[in-house]
Amino acid sequence: MTSHRMTVSAMLAAVLCVIATAPTAAQTYPSRPIKIIVPFAPGGADVMARLVADRLSASLGQPVVIENRPGGAGGTVGTKAVTTADPDGYTLTLASPGPITVAPVVYKNLDYDPVKQLAPIGLIALSPFVLAVNPDVPAKTVSEFVAYSKANPGKVNFATPGFGTSSHLFGELLKLRTGAEILHVPYRGATPAIADLVAGQVQMFFDNIRNVQPFIQSGKLRALAVTSEKRHPEMPELPTMIESGIDGFFGYYWNGLLAPAGTPQPIIDRLNAIINEGLRTDMSSIVIRLGMEPKFGTPQDFAKIHGR
């Protein structure tokens, strides 16, 4: 009987120990630097990632470092690395549609499941895409660009940050809906794609406003239309794709923060609260200057976009 009581006491002590220590990790978090993986080449998404990193670092009192890990189709290599990371809140990813919502639909052999293997922390910003062309292209409207491509088959190329990205799908949709004669040229991120677009190595690119707006303002690129349902307040002179004659042609780019599935909920909630507070205050004006619309809400709100 004594032995039985000792065994039961030992079991209870073990259970109580687990219960007592379970929230401790979240309470002491973070005790070391945090890493945000950006699954693309430097440039482009880095701007938003640095904004988020600065806010988290200031609030948490630990360094938050950005790690660019490009590769694969549309950012899938870097995203895969996050799905297999320890779910302890020390590895996060700045997510975008390509590797999260597009890749699972496009690729049959994708070796990760973003719904099952990633936990949404929060949506950060939303932006339409811009159809931008090199100024040497003799077109000032979408219809003129389509006509030009048909008159020059095999000579008009459109850049993307990689196979399966939103930019790629928009380009293919333009071909499907208008018969445009454009050839896909995939890059390892938005930055090298824009560099070649400015240099005239490629002629067209669908990208989010944040990335291309400085080049449009400087005259290095020409914008033809936006993919939002209504004109964008930052570029009110620019027609939508729908206004340009292509019914139902709209879509958006977004950025959000994700963690490996299984990350403790108190950590998720803490990170979400920090990002939301930032978006309600000083981060908001910066996001707007980047040509995007600040978006905040719960992890569950983001899950509706993330795919859950």
Side-chain angles (χ1 to χ4, degrees):
M1 188 69 175
T2 303
S3 176
H4 175 70
R5 287 176 177 173
M6 291 177 64
T7 301
V8 172
S9 297
M11 292 174 63
L12 286 172
V15 171
L16 289 172
C17 181
V18 171
I19 293 174
T21 57
T24 302
Q27 290 172 353
T28 59
Y29 172 86
S31 58
R32 54 187 172 87
I34 299 168
K35 175 172 58 181
I36 297 179
I37 291 180
V38 176
F40 297 103
D46 291 51
V47 179
M48 190 65 70
R50 286 195 296 272
L51 180 62
V52 173
D54 290 345
R55 164 58 62 166
L56 292 179
S57 181
S59 298
L60 296 172
Q62 286 287 345
V64 179
V65 298
I66 307 299
E67 179 180 318
N68 291 93
R69 197 176 295 189
T76 54
V77 168
T79 303
K80 167 68 175 178
V82 180
T83 66
T84 57
D86 291 334
D88 53 12
Y90 290 96
T91 302
L92 313 173
T93 183
L94 185 81
S96 57
I100 303 300
T101 59
V102 177
V105 178
V106 174
Y107 301 108
K108 294 182 179 179
N109 299 318
L110 191 68
D111 57 356
Y112 65 86
D113 185 331
V115 173
K116 294 180 179 179
Q117 294 180 277
L118 292 170
I121 295 172
L123 184 63
I124 299 168
L126 196 70
S127 169
F129 283 73
V130 176
L131 194 169
V133 297
N134 181 278
D136 289 340
V137 174
K140 294 185 178 180
T141 66
V142 175
S143 59
E144 288 178 357
F145 174 76
V146 171
Y148 174 75
S149 72
K150 291 179 179 180
N152 294 273
K155 297 181 180 180
V156 181
N157 304 308
F158 75 98
T160 75
F163 285 100
T165 58
S166 297
S167 297
H168 181 197
L169 295 189
F170 274 125
E172 295 298 335
L173 181 60
L174 181 64
K175 291 171 61 176
L176 181 66
R177 298 292 296 277
T178 67
E181 291 279 354
I182 52 178
L183 303 176
H184 179 214
V185 180
Y187 287 80
R188 289 171 60 87
T191 301
I194 292 174
D196 271 8
L197 180 64
V198 170
Q201 300 300 314
V202 289
Q203 287 70 47
M204 187 271 281
F205 187 23
F206 275 105
D207 200 13
N208 65 78
I209 287 179
R210 178 189 69 212
N211 289 346
V212 297
Q213 190 175 36
F215 299 95
I216 294 169
Q217 292 174 337
S218 66
K220 294 180 179 179
L221 295 178
R222 180 188 303 129
L224 302 186
V226 290
T227 64
S228 49
E229 294 175 89
K230 297 180 179 179
R231 295 195 179 200
H232 194 273
E234 291 292 308
M235 307 177 79
E237 75 288 350
L238 203 59
T240 66
M241 294 294 289
I242 297 172
E243 289 176 321
S244 299
I246 310 176
D247 291 338
F249 196 120
F250 65 90
Y252 297 85
Y253 175 88
W254 50 261
N255 279 139
L257 203 62
L258 296 171
T263 300
Q265 194 61 43
I267 292 178
I268 295 286
D269 292 340
R270 187 177 181 189
L271 294 173
N272 174 268
I274 293 171
I275 295 301
N276 282 343
E277 177 60 25
L279 290 170
R280 289 187 179 99
T281 55
D282 55 302
M283 282 177 64
S284 179
S285 60
I286 301 174
V287 170
I288 292 171
R289 285 202 301 271
L290 293 173
M292 301 186 76
E293 179 184 355
K295 289 288 183 179
F296 51 82
T298 66
Q300 292 72 33
D301 292 332
F302 184 29
K304 296 175 184 178
I305 292 180
H306 168 236
R308 289 177 183 268

